Amino acid sequence: MTNVSLVDLKVIEDARGKMIPLEYPKQLNFPLNRIYYIYDVDNNQTRGCHSHNKLDQLLIAVKGEVNILVKTPFEEKIVKLDSPSKGLYIGPMIWREMFDFSEDCVLLVLASELYDEKDYIRDYREYEQKALEYFRNEETNND
Amino acid sequence: MTNVSLVDLKVIEDARGKMIPLEYPKQLNFPLNRIYYIYDVDNNQTRGCHSHNKLDQLLIAVKGEVNILVKTPFEEKIVKLDSPSKGLYIGPMIWREMFDFSEDCVLLVLASELYDEKDYIRDYREYEQKALEYFRNEETNND
């Protein structure tokens, strides 16, 4: 799926436990400018429900599990994040919804840019219109 | 304690759960260049046992709990990290040891620089010598 990929994060493991380091450009394909983590989410809640014009993000369930719906006007899929070593890269113009958080889930998100409300698209119809244009241009660029 | 402080991280909370965002300079006092997280650590293991010449770090137990010993040639204390909203800032020239990890602990560490083995001081005697000099200069600078 365009602008979405599952990333197998390298675990550094020894008798003292496990560690996963993330920095750009070694393990990340975008510079790290912001992180946030989400926790204490009731199982019946859905988060996300927006897209970004140009943000790169990596989502990791560092504890517990959660389902992520990623969607464009052309395709959609659900990815289960259930391991600290499984990252979901989400690039620009992808609608995303997070749901089915386990009680213990901590979802860590790494982002390429500082917070900017103007980069969010929160209305699905507006997203669809912009995304049609975005992916049409992408296609042209790849011809 | 010089170069060590407990930081109360702001939680954004609503019916959909809790979120803590971290970016520089809004919530962080250093630029974000690297993160790592540590997990699956046996309770009898100790990690850390080193200092850095000039790194800034913020440690957060995003799940579970862990004790952190922070130490200079002049003073030491143990800080319990047991909440996703409690950050421990550790600046340059602080010896640190992490121990008593709970089984479910995920310790997230944010760092101001990319990984650089040359910035580590892993021998305590070498650390002590360098730290004595560092803090003597700090004192002079603050006079």
Side-chain angles (χ1 to χ4, degrees):
Chain A
M1 189 170 167
T2 318
N3 289 8
V4 173
S5 57
L6 256 180
V7 188
D8 203 13
L9 306 173
K10 202 188 157 194
V11 183
I12 298 176
E13 183 174 0
D14 60 26
R16 298 170 309 141
K18 295 181 182 134
M19 180 175 93
I20 296 180
L22 298 169
E23 64 178 57
Y24 170 78
K26 262 193 212 162
Q27 297 90 358
L28 294 174
N29 60 345
F30 56 82
L32 192 54
N33 274 304
R34 180 174 191 247
I35 70 150
Y36 59 88
Y37 44 97
I38 295 171
Y39 60 103
D40 283 358
V41 180
D42 277 351
N43 185 259
N44 62 359
Q45 291 287 339
T46 298
R47 297 191 64 118
C49 305
H50 64 258
S51 170
H52 287 278
N53 284 305
K54 49 183 190 125
L55 197 65
D56 296 298
Q57 291 184 305
L58 188 70
L59 284 66
I60 308 154
V62 293
K63 191 80 195 178
E65 52 183 70
V66 60
N67 279 321
I68 317 283
L69 166 76
V70 279
K71 187 176 158 95
T72 71
F74 311 104
E75 48 186 336
E76 66 177 74
K77 65 177 176 181
I78 290 170
V79 179
K80 184 189 267 303
L81 292 181
D82 55 4
S83 161
S85 67
K86 204 193 264 190
L88 177 64
Y89 166 78
I90 303 183
M93 277 301 161
I94 302 293
W95 188 264
R96 93 281 318 268
E97 302 184 5
M98 296 97 117
F99 59 100
D100 273 353
F101 283 81
S102 65
E103 203 187 313
D104 63 345
C105 182
V106 179
L107 179 65
L108 174 65
V109 180
L110 282 54
S112 62
E113 305 285 344
L114 303 182
Y115 178 78
D116 177 11
E117 183 56 38
K118 291 192 299 293
D119 189 58
Y120 283 75
I121 310 169
R122 298 185 186 276
D123 178 79
Y124 188 75
R125 294 213 181 164
E126 184 192 339
Y127 160 72
E128 218 170 16
Q129 223 164 16
K130 282 193 174 181
L132 285 170
E133 194 180 334
Y134 173 88
F135 287 107
R136 194 181 309 128
N137 290 340
E138 280 288 293
E139 225 171 67
T140 317
N141 292 340
N142 292 337
D143 273 352
Chain B
M1 189 170 167
T2 317
N3 290 7
V4 173
S5 57
L6 257 179
V7 188
D8 202 14
L9 305 173
K10 202 187 157 196
V11 184
I12 299 176
E13 183 174 358
D14 60 26
R16 298 168 309 139
K18 294 178 183 137
M19 179 175 94
I20 296 181
L22 297 169
E23 64 178 56
Y24 170 78
K26 262 194 212 162
Q27 297 90 358
L28 295 173
N29 60 344
F30 56 83
L32 191 54
N33 273 304
R34 180 175 191 246
I35 71 150
Y36 59 88
Y37 44 97
I38 295 170
Y39 61 102
D40 282 356
V41 180
D42 276 350
N43 185 259
N44 62 358
Q45 292 287 340
T46 298
R47 297 191 65 117
C49 304
H50 66 257
S51 170
H52 287 278
N53 284 306
K54 48 182 191 126
L55 196 66
D56 296 297
Q57 290 184 306
L58 187 71
L59 284 65
I60 308 154
V62 293
K63 190 77 194 178
E65 53 182 70
V66 59
N67 278 321
I68 318 283
L69 166 76
V70 279
K71 188 176 158 95
T72 71
F74 311 103
E75 49 185 337
E76 65 178 74
K77 64 177 176 181
I78 290 169
V79 179
K80 185 189 265 305
L81 293 182
D82 55 4
S83 160
S85 67
K86 203 193 264 190
L88 177 63
Y89 167 78
I90 302 183
M93 278 300 160
I94 302 294
W95 187 264
R96 93 281 318 267
E97 302 184 6
M98 294 98 117
F99 60 100
D100 274 354
F101 283 81
S102 65
E103 204 188 312
D104 63 344
C105 182
V106 179
L107 179 64
L108 175 65
V109 180
L110 282 52
S112 62
E113 306 284 345
L114 302 183
Y115 178 77
D116 177 11
E117 184 56 38
K118 291 192 300 295
D119 189 58
Y120 282 75
I121 310 169
R122 298 185 186 276
D123 178 77
Y124 188 74
R125 294 213 184 167
E126 184 192 338
Y127 161 71
E128 217 170 16
Q129 225 165 13
K130 281 195 176 179
L132 284 169
E133 196 179 334
Y134 174 87
F135 287 108
R136 195 181 308 129
N137 291 338
E138 280 288 293
E139 227 171 65
T140 316
N141 292 340
N142 292 336
D143 273 352

